[in-house]
Amino acid sequence: MSVPYYDGIAHHAMRQPNALAAVDLATERRHSYRALDERIARLAGSLRSQFGIAAGDRIAVLAPNTTDTFEVQFACGRLGAIFVPLNWRLANPELHAILGDCAPRMLIYDPEFADRAEQLAQHRDIAMLVTLGPQFERLALQGPRLDQPVAASLDDVCTILYTSGTTGLPKGATITHGMNFWNTVHSISSAGIARSSVFLGLLPLFHTGGLNVYAYPVFQVGGAVLIMRGFDPGEALGLIGDPAVGVTHLFGVPANFQFMAQHPRFRETDVSRLVYAGVGGAPTPDTILRTWQQQGATLQQGYGMTETSPLVLMLDKQDAVRKAGSAGKPVLHVQMRVVAEDGSDAPVGCIGELWVKGPNITKGYWQQPETTAAAFTDDWLHTGDAALVDDEGFYFIVDRWKDMYISGGENVYPAEVENVLYQHDAIAEAAVIGVSDARWGQVGRAVVVVRPGCALSEDAVIGHCAASLARYKLPQSVVFTEALPRNATGKVHKPTLRRRFGEG
């Protein structure tokens, strides 16, 4: 078989066929590169011969994390088809909109979602359905091998990733082979991804953090990917601490590291063998960074977006403690600007919107030219994130522009207040939103989850903040709840918070 330049599975099946490629932790299935390549080749052959899947066709996947998803991803690449992983935590009306947007010819789904998949397929007139399990196994084991993959260029779209929807309806960011290539280059140079890497995947594969940080790059260099069906903090700690498993690389959002740190197993887990432990997706409270540092692992903060494939900023390990709170400096080949409201570059230390430019940036959103045009200025992508750069060139992500509120004419960034809240020993989770106020326009409201066995009052929370924050930044009210609403990647879902707690 000719080996496509973008296909790390095929490449390493040729160079190191017996090396471990992937482990499905839920089912304990282990695939060497040769075995995984064979499954992908036969799956691709089946999709072409039995279903007529051709270049440009979209194939949607509705499933919890499984190595089967990687097989679909790489089979799509060999066919020139476009892989569309679906966020199974969305409501069916939201998935209706996504499927209407990308119009897939086929839906591959886990039996857990059979009823939903059939309803979605009927609503969107998707004629071809494939179920993971016996049907999928027949395609991957008994189908005819596809030995001549479709030729592709770096500019060809291989994936559509729908944004998490924290600020509105999902948009389909088009991901090209070239974007994946540059993200692999960035992963090698900034996170030390290598053939010896053993990566533990915690995040869902429908999200760029699960798919591209760092599963895809690890396949490209010939390392091993261990994938959890769903994140479990105790199980994750057991794997990290087991020298026989040999986990070297880990990436998660702050909630992953927070929940692991709160687990009883954390204090007995040796995390010092981790070569790289990355955290991103949201500003990381200082207390989480300190807790892991004390346990022996330095969390390296970074920043990226679905639209940037995703790595654009990374904090090197040697700077992680000294520059705690920073997302680091730009990775190779990426340009950054912090832009003031008038379009000029914001001065050092001043907050503006982060703009990004480079070969790893999406060319746009699937079938949404107006949305695409609004997102760019002269090839600079507007990230929608408030940031500043210090006098050493380190970038700090302050918060989402849309999460900022204005109190008495002053801008307040909830992430700054949340960082202070997390320093209270009795607070397990915290988030801040702006609510209407007759005098100040808007004021802050803290939504707090108290640790088990602890008691906390509204006055105590506000008093704690008053010791560290300017008066206009103080939350003026506190709501206590059992858990914060989060999206599938673990980010706090601010629109839901505002709907539940924004009034009254």
Side-chain angles (χ1 to χ4, degrees), residues 254-255 257-264 266-267 285-292 294 418-430 447-457 461 464 478-484 486:
F257 291 99
Q258 175 190 350
F259 295 151
M260 283 190 283
Q262 292 173 350
H263 194 277
F266 181 70
R267 294 301 176 190
D286 293 344
T287 183
I288 296 176
L289 301 173
R290 288 197 303 269
T291 299
W292 278 80
Q294 292 165 2
E418 291 160 2
N419 188 42
V420 171
L421 288 168
Y422 271 109
Q423 295 170 19
H424 196 294
D425 291 340
I427 292 178
E429 299 181 68
V447 184
V448 169
V449 178
V450 179
R451 289 182 185 272
C454 296
L456 201 57
S457 68
V461 172
H464 167 75
V478 180
V479 175
F480 296 96
T481 187
E482 293 184 357
L484 298 182
R486 296 180 182 272

Side-chain angles (χ1 to χ4, degrees), residues 171-172 174 307 353 355 362-383:
K171 305 183 294 290
T174 55
E307 294 88 342
E353 183 182 9
W355 288 14
T362 184
K363 299 302 181 185
Y365 300 102
W366 184 259
Q367 298 194 129
Q368 296 190 41
E370 293 181 0
T371 302
T372 298
F376 289 89
T377 297
D378 297 330
D379 293 330
W380 287 93
L381 173 68
H382 306 186
T383 69

Side-chain angles (χ1 to χ4, degrees), residues 262-341:
Q262 292 173 350
H263 194 277
R265 180 178 282 181
F266 181 70
R267 294 301 176 190
E268 63 189 42
T269 301
D270 182 2
V271 299
S272 64
R273 285 187 295 271
L274 289 170
V275 174
Y276 171 88
V279 60
T284 306
D286 293 344
T287 183
I288 296 176
L289 301 173
R290 288 197 303 269
T291 299
W292 278 80
Q293 181 72 31
Q294 292 165 2
Q295 191 64 13
T298 299
L299 299 188
Q300 292 178 240
Q301 295 186 87
Y303 169 82
M305 303 172 64
T306 302
E307 294 88 342
T308 63
S309 69
L311 296 182
V312 291
L313 288 170
M314 179 71 73
L315 185 62
D316 291 335
K317 184 175 288 189
Q318 63 266 28
D319 296 313
V321 175
R322 183 176 72 90
K323 288 291 184 177
S326 170
K329 293 183 176 182
V331 297
L332 197 63
H333 307 112
V334 172
Q335 300 177 62
M336 317 286 289
R337 292 179 63 196
V338 176
V339 180
E341 291 186 8

Side-chain angles (χ1 to χ4, degrees), residues 226-255:
L226 284 55
I227 193 72
M228 301 182 75
R229 183 174 176 89
F231 172 66
D232 178 273
E235 180 185 353
L237 288 169
L239 292 163
I240 294 166
D242 188 345
V245 177
V247 174
T248 63
H249 284 70
L250 180 72
F251 180 82
V253 298

